[in-house]
Amino acid sequence: MRTTSFSLPKSFLGVLPLYLAVEIVLGITAFNKVSGAFGILALFTGHPLAFMQWVFYLWSTVTLFVFAQGLFEIHKPNILTFSQIFVFYSIDTLCNCFFTLWFTGDWFNVESQTEAAVGSTITKRTEDISSQGASQGYEYSMTIFITLTSLVFRFYFNFILASFVQELLRHPKYMFDQDDIEQDLKNKSIWKRWWLKCQKSCYKLCKNLLA
Amino acid sequence: MSRYLEKWFLSERPPNCHVADLETSFDPKITLRKLQRYKMSVADWCHYGFLGSVLLFVFITNPAPWFLKFLAYAFLGLLFIIPITSQFFFNALPILTWVALYFTSSSFPASSRPPITVKVLPAIETILYGDNLSDILATSTNPILDILAWIPYGVLHFSAPFFIAAVLFVFGPPTILQGFSFAFGYMNLFGVIIQNFFPAAPPWYKILYGLQSAHYGMHGSPGGLARIDKLLNINVYTQAFSNSSVIFGAFPSLHSGCSTIDALFLAYCFPRLTPLFIGYVCWLWWSTMYLTHHYFVDLIAGSVISYVVFQYTKYFHLPVVDVDLFCRWSYSSIEKYDMVRSDPLQVDSNDVESVPLQAMDLGIELNRRDTREGTNSLSPYIFDRNDNSSATSNTSLDLQGDLLNPTSRLGKQRVD
């Protein structure tokens, strides 16, 4: 049996059982992933989507389904589902870092253009009132702070999921041979077959990584 | 009528069961006696300590005359001490605290408030969600969409919590209403505290003033709801939102928070209708962005606070729902979640599926002896390898691999 080189969190915030954390992690992530559906809704308002936005929104929609299934079976977890969730979550964390960088670039591009256009029209205010509005430095530091906090949480959540899947893999109750289970794949729709195959390969990957 | 109601609600009532009974006495002595016997836990100290300090803060900072403030608190105290009213009002303490803080928020002096941010939310929205989603959804408007957006934002948001409280009270298990008011109150209270510490301009501000910095002397705006006022020939929303207590309270969205907590409680009580409740939250999300009241990130923040508060309430306060029972009077007892026992990772020695690993190792030892003897018997595999119907066999893949190659296990210790 392989042991991981660093220790994963064995409880949520040091006190609560892991499954509570997984429930919270999946719920929060599912809320965030709904952005995909709302992004695609933008098409109805006639707003064009850039290629990277298409990729981001479609990926969000797919992952929404993957993460949502975990919420329904958290009290009776299926190791295949949670392996799939863990693998998708890990890929999603990497994608998230990339998308965050990409869209940050996008925002600052737009921002610098509007700033140049609007800069001259801003009306002057008295010292007293203008101090009530945030300075540029404050705005930027808050933006960076919130973005980094969300990324830090994401990594912590990723470790929580890794730990949960590891515990499942090592737990006698869930430790059974997946090849033993009769799937009856032939009588299932192509989507279901593909989904189950995907879960199976995620399971194998998790077993190699975490067990 | 009363006979009809009795037949409808009380027909399933277990005999001699009083869990659903309400307090009908007006005698303050009963409350005082209960108070004397009550032992405060750590959670209670935190709960009452926190709410008490917020209420004290409101008492000091609210600009109303001291006499009136004292009278209001004394009246609340009276409602808490009379058993018939206390069962509702005392449990609504988090909601009362939120309302008190919300209406005091407008009176905080501008000099001591944090600076108002204008760019943070649209920037975060683009960085985390790929685009200004709220902006995009508000670009094309028409009267039908206006009405469709107004229903959840301007009508259901204000009326639904009362309706849901009534539904939960009648059709949920006893004490679920306490949980609802706890979660609803705390969610809103946390929301208002964050709004005060992190004042941020909503999308309508960007439309009206662009990227100009904001100040506390500005009036609020009804955003897209102004179109509803015009359509219905009223002045309700323009009036209410222009004089709102928390004008720069875009983050988090309490509209989103309230709808999420409503949906979570309803889904908890009526799990079969969950898709309907999810649909309601999505509808409200769209309407807040369409009416230019919130950025997408505000909605997520509101919902996340709701969700976390709900999860806490579920595991520490809420009674377990029995979907087969009709209403509160059908319950014979109140059961709470056992956090440890519901843990799927818990090893239960009474559970046949949780075979201890030592037993498995014993099985392997026996098998190993067989192989050594050259019998090549795979008898223990029969149940696991050839019988595919055994979905819950306890032999793991790595164990099987070890069985095929017995030497590989020598000198290897399980760390589980």
Side-chain angles (χ1 to χ4, degrees), chain A residues 119-164:
Chain A
S120 55
T121 60
I122 291 179
T123 48
K124 289 262 178 287
R125 292 219 178 94
T126 57
E127 185 87 357
D128 185 37
I129 286 181
S130 65
S131 69
Q132 292 176 15
S135 64
Q136 288 289 334
Y138 185 78
E139 299 256 16
Y140 286 134
S141 49
M142 275 313 275
T143 310
I144 293 165
F145 173 74
I146 296 177
T147 312
L148 288 181
T149 314
S150 76
L151 280 178
V152 167
F153 267 98
R154 220 193 138 96
F155 280 104
Y156 178 61
F157 287 174
N158 214 148
F159 288 127
I160 290 274
L161 278 181
S163 178
F164 186 71

XYZ file of all heavy atoms in Angstrom, chain A residues 119-164:
370
model
N -11.498 58.859 -17.258
C -10.609 59.594 -16.364
C -10.815 61.090 -16.314
O -10.882 61.686 -15.233
N -10.969 61.703 -17.472
C -11.046 63.161 -17.513
C -12.400 63.693 -17.050
O -12.506 64.851 -16.637
C -10.761 63.638 -18.930
O -11.654 62.977 -19.801
N -13.461 62.851 -17.106
C -14.810 63.355 -16.805
C -15.172 63.285 -15.321
O -16.196 63.812 -14.921
C -15.879 62.574 -17.587
O -15.781 61.209 -17.188
C -15.694 62.719 -19.080
N -14.355 62.612 -14.503
C -14.694 62.469 -13.079
C -14.725 63.847 -12.405
O -13.791 64.632 -12.518
C -13.699 61.534 -12.356
C -13.909 60.110 -12.858
C -13.870 61.594 -10.844
C -12.993 59.093 -12.253
N -15.841 64.085 -11.720
C -15.993 65.394 -11.098
C -15.199 65.479 -9.805
O -15.038 64.487 -9.095
C -17.480 65.663 -10.783
O -17.992 64.505 -10.142
C -18.275 65.978 -12.027
N -14.738 66.666 -9.522
C -13.942 66.839 -8.299
C -14.886 66.986 -7.106
O -15.922 67.625 -7.170
C -13.091 68.093 -8.440
C -11.961 67.953 -9.447
C -10.641 67.625 -8.731
C -9.501 67.421 -9.694
N -9.534 66.189 -10.447
N -14.517 66.334 -5.996
C -15.345 66.426 -4.794
C -14.525 67.043 -3.672
O -13.308 67.098 -3.735
C -15.784 65.021 -4.383
C -16.743 64.403 -5.353
C -17.788 63.646 -4.538
N -18.783 63.064 -5.407
C -18.718 61.835 -5.860
N -17.746 61.042 -5.503
N -19.657 61.372 -6.638
N -15.216 67.455 -2.636
C -14.488 67.998 -1.491
C -13.744 66.867 -0.798
O -14.136 65.702 -0.900
C -15.464 68.627 -0.474
O -16.374 67.625 -0.102
C -16.177 69.832 -1.054
N -12.727 67.207 -0.079
C -11.865 66.233 0.611
C -12.689 65.295 1.486
O -12.519 64.083 1.470
C -10.863 67.005 1.471
C -9.829 66.163 2.154
C -8.631 65.923 1.259
O -8.635 66.368 0.105
O -7.716 65.272 1.706
N -13.642 65.889 2.219
C -14.436 65.163 3.196
C -15.231 64.027 2.542
O -15.222 62.880 3.008
C -15.377 66.162 3.887
C -16.139 65.492 4.999
O -15.523 64.626 5.664
O -17.324 65.818 5.193
N -15.915 64.358 1.435
C -16.767 63.368 0.778
C -15.928 62.338 0.025
O -16.218 61.144 0.069
C -17.767 64.075 -0.173
C -18.854 64.752 0.659
C -18.407 63.084 -1.116
C -19.893 65.459 -0.153
N -14.864 62.802 -0.632
C -14.103 61.855 -1.453
C -13.420 60.790 -0.602
O -13.141 59.692 -1.084
C -13.080 62.597 -2.313
O -12.129 63.194 -1.473
N -13.166 61.081 0.679
C -12.536 60.065 1.526
C -13.506 58.927 1.853
O -13.092 57.874 2.333
C -12.033 60.706 2.820
O -13.141 61.087 3.597
N -14.803 59.144 1.610
C -15.783 58.081 1.885
C -15.766 56.998 0.808
O -16.205 55.879 1.029
C -17.181 58.677 2.001
C -17.339 59.554 3.225
C -18.696 60.222 3.285
O -19.612 59.838 2.580
N -18.818 61.235 4.126
N -15.314 57.367 -0.384
C -15.186 56.375 -1.457
C -13.824 55.720 -1.355
O -12.857 56.330 -0.889
N -13.754 54.445 -1.784
C -12.478 53.725 -1.660
C -11.445 54.256 -2.653
O -11.802 54.636 -3.771
C -12.716 52.245 -1.916
N -10.184 54.281 -2.232
C -9.108 54.713 -3.123
C -8.789 53.585 -4.103
O -9.190 52.434 -3.877
C -7.876 55.041 -2.302
O -7.424 53.862 -1.670
N -8.079 53.905 -5.172
C -7.702 52.872 -6.155
C -6.957 51.729 -5.477
O -7.231 50.564 -5.740
C -6.780 53.502 -7.213
C -7.478 54.444 -8.166
C -8.382 53.697 -9.137
O -8.161 52.535 -9.427
N -9.414 54.361 -9.613
N -6.039 52.097 -4.592
C -5.233 51.086 -3.911
C -6.099 50.139 -3.105
O -5.911 48.917 -3.139
N -7.086 50.699 -2.392
C -7.992 49.890 -1.574
C -8.810 48.948 -2.460
O -8.974 47.765 -2.154
C -8.917 50.812 -0.779
C -9.827 50.093 0.187
C -9.347 49.629 1.411
C -11.174 49.893 -0.116
C -10.183 48.975 2.300
C -12.016 49.246 0.763
C -11.521 48.791 1.971
O -12.354 48.139 2.848
N -9.315 49.501 -3.587
C -10.118 48.692 -4.518
C -9.291 47.508 -5.033
O -9.753 46.369 -5.018
C -10.553 49.533 -5.727
C -11.415 50.731 -5.376
C -12.889 50.540 -5.690
O -13.305 49.392 -5.890
O -13.619 51.551 -5.692
N -8.053 47.788 -5.457
C -7.223 46.714 -6.004
C -6.853 45.702 -4.932
O -6.907 44.498 -5.165
C -5.948 47.276 -6.645
C -6.210 47.958 -7.962
C -5.661 49.191 -8.264
C -7.024 47.347 -8.913
C -5.928 49.823 -9.476
C -7.297 47.972 -10.121
C -6.747 49.198 -10.407
O -7.015 49.806 -11.594
N -6.511 46.199 -3.743
C -6.093 45.231 -2.724
C -7.272 44.362 -2.296
O -7.093 43.162 -2.055
C -5.446 45.923 -1.528
O -6.244 46.972 -1.099
N -8.486 44.924 -2.235
C -9.658 44.108 -1.887
C -9.909 43.062 -2.970
O -10.233 41.910 -2.674
C -10.912 44.988 -1.740
C -11.097 45.636 -0.384
S -10.862 44.545 1.009
C -12.458 43.800 1.149
N -9.768 43.493 -4.240
C -9.992 42.560 -5.352
C -9.000 41.395 -5.262
O -9.399 40.223 -5.353
C -9.793 43.276 -6.708
O -10.565 44.470 -6.691
C -10.187 42.408 -7.875
N -7.744 41.733 -5.029
C -6.720 40.684 -4.956
C -6.957 39.803 -3.728
O -6.875 38.575 -3.798
C -5.308 41.319 -4.923
C -5.037 41.984 -6.274
C -4.236 40.281 -4.617
C -3.870 42.943 -6.287
N -7.318 40.453 -2.616
C -7.564 39.699 -1.377
C -8.691 38.676 -1.569
O -8.538 37.501 -1.230
C -7.915 40.673 -0.244
C -8.349 40.003 1.016
C -7.419 39.356 1.824
C -9.687 39.996 1.403
C -7.817 38.724 2.989
C -10.095 39.372 2.558
C -9.155 38.728 3.356
N -9.812 39.114 -2.154
C -10.955 38.197 -2.329
C -10.587 37.075 -3.304
O -10.887 35.896 -3.058
C -12.222 38.955 -2.799
C -12.672 39.931 -1.715
C -13.349 37.975 -3.128
C -13.867 40.781 -2.075
N -9.901 37.415 -4.391
C -9.524 36.391 -5.371
C -8.598 35.355 -4.729
O -8.812 34.145 -4.871
C -8.792 37.037 -6.569
O -9.559 38.156 -7.000
C -8.623 36.070 -7.705
N -7.603 35.839 -3.985
C -6.655 34.899 -3.365
C -7.334 34.058 -2.295
O -7.081 32.859 -2.190
C -5.460 35.653 -2.772
C -4.486 36.232 -3.805
C -3.334 36.931 -3.109
C -3.951 35.144 -4.733
N -8.229 34.694 -1.507
C -8.934 33.931 -0.470
C -9.726 32.798 -1.113
O -9.729 31.666 -0.619
C -9.894 34.836 0.326
O -9.203 36.014 0.659
C -10.435 34.172 1.558
N -10.407 33.107 -2.220
C -11.212 32.068 -2.864
C -10.300 30.937 -3.369
O -10.671 29.759 -3.286
C -12.061 32.643 -3.988
O -11.284 32.890 -5.120
N -9.114 31.278 -3.834
C -8.192 30.228 -4.298
C -7.656 29.391 -3.139
O -7.557 28.168 -3.248
C -7.018 30.852 -5.056
C -7.299 31.236 -6.516
C -6.081 31.884 -7.139
C -7.712 30.019 -7.339
N -7.350 30.067 -2.028
C -6.851 29.340 -0.855
C -7.901 28.341 -0.372
O -7.614 27.165 -0.108
C -6.460 30.326 0.276
C -6.236 29.596 1.588
C -5.221 31.110 -0.109
N -9.152 28.803 -0.299
C -10.246 27.916 0.119
C -10.362 26.734 -0.839
O -10.600 25.611 -0.439
C -11.563 28.680 0.183
C -11.830 29.209 1.555
C -11.544 30.522 1.879
C -12.335 28.385 2.541
C -11.764 31.010 3.159
C -12.564 28.870 3.826
C -12.272 30.179 4.130
N -10.206 27.022 -2.103
C -10.311 25.991 -3.120
C -9.295 24.887 -2.877
O -9.613 23.698 -2.936
C -10.064 26.623 -4.475
C -10.961 26.081 -5.444
C -10.865 26.233 -6.790
N -11.195 24.910 -7.270
C -12.380 24.533 -7.662
N -13.383 25.365 -7.643
N -12.588 23.317 -8.081
N -8.060 25.283 -2.572
C -7.020 24.277 -2.326
C -7.341 23.485 -1.056
O -7.197 22.265 -1.029
C -5.645 24.941 -2.229
C -5.059 25.244 -3.579
C -5.041 26.534 -4.085
C -4.552 24.212 -4.373
C -4.526 26.806 -5.352
C -4.031 24.472 -5.644
C -4.023 25.768 -6.131
N -7.796 24.173 -0.035
C -8.150 23.476 1.211
C -9.272 22.472 0.934
O -9.219 21.318 1.373
C -8.577 24.500 2.272
C -9.016 23.869 3.574
C -8.147 23.081 4.319
C -10.314 24.052 4.056
C -8.554 22.490 5.515
C -10.727 23.475 5.250
C -9.852 22.696 5.969
O -10.260 22.114 7.135
N -10.272 22.924 0.173
C -11.407 22.052 -0.164
C -10.926 20.838 -0.956
O -11.423 19.730 -0.777
C -12.436 22.822 -0.990
C -13.229 23.832 -0.200
C -14.113 24.702 -0.830
C -13.101 23.916 1.176
C -14.845 25.622 -0.105
C -13.829 24.842 1.915
C -14.702 25.694 1.261
N -9.950 21.056 -1.822
C -9.411 19.964 -2.617
C -8.775 18.909 -1.708
O -8.972 17.713 -1.878
C -8.383 20.505 -3.609
C -8.392 19.732 -4.902
O -8.139 20.259 -5.967
N -8.698 18.462 -4.828
N -8.040 19.370 -0.704
C -7.416 18.429 0.233
C -8.461 17.697 1.064
O -8.313 16.520 1.374
C -6.418 19.159 1.144
C -5.175 19.572 0.413
C -4.724 20.881 0.449
C -4.451 18.650 -0.326
C -3.584 21.268 -0.237
C -3.307 19.015 -1.015
C -2.872 20.325 -0.972
N -9.531 18.420 1.419
C -10.611 17.786 2.169
C -11.198 16.635 1.357
O -11.389 15.525 1.865
C -11.729 18.831 2.469
C -11.263 19.862 3.487
C -13.030 18.166 2.873
C -11.453 19.458 4.924
N -11.459 16.897 0.075
C -12.024 15.849 -0.783
C -11.048 14.687 -0.925
O -11.454 13.522 -0.859
C -12.334 16.415 -2.164
C -13.648 17.172 -2.309
C -13.814 17.642 -3.737
C -14.823 16.284 -1.932
N -9.754 15.009 -1.094
C -8.745 13.959 -1.217
C -8.773 13.078 0.023
O -8.770 11.852 -0.061
C -7.372 14.585 -1.393
N -8.845 13.726 1.175
C -8.838 12.986 2.431
C -10.073 12.093 2.543
O -9.982 10.945 2.975
C -8.800 13.982 3.583
O -8.844 13.309 4.787
N -11.234 12.637 2.135
C -12.478 11.861 2.228
C -12.399 10.627 1.339
O -12.740 9.521 1.764
C -13.665 12.744 1.827
C -15.003 12.088 2.017
C -15.506 11.867 3.283
C -15.765 11.697 0.925
C -16.740 11.268 3.471
C -16.992 11.094 1.096
C -17.486 10.884 2.367
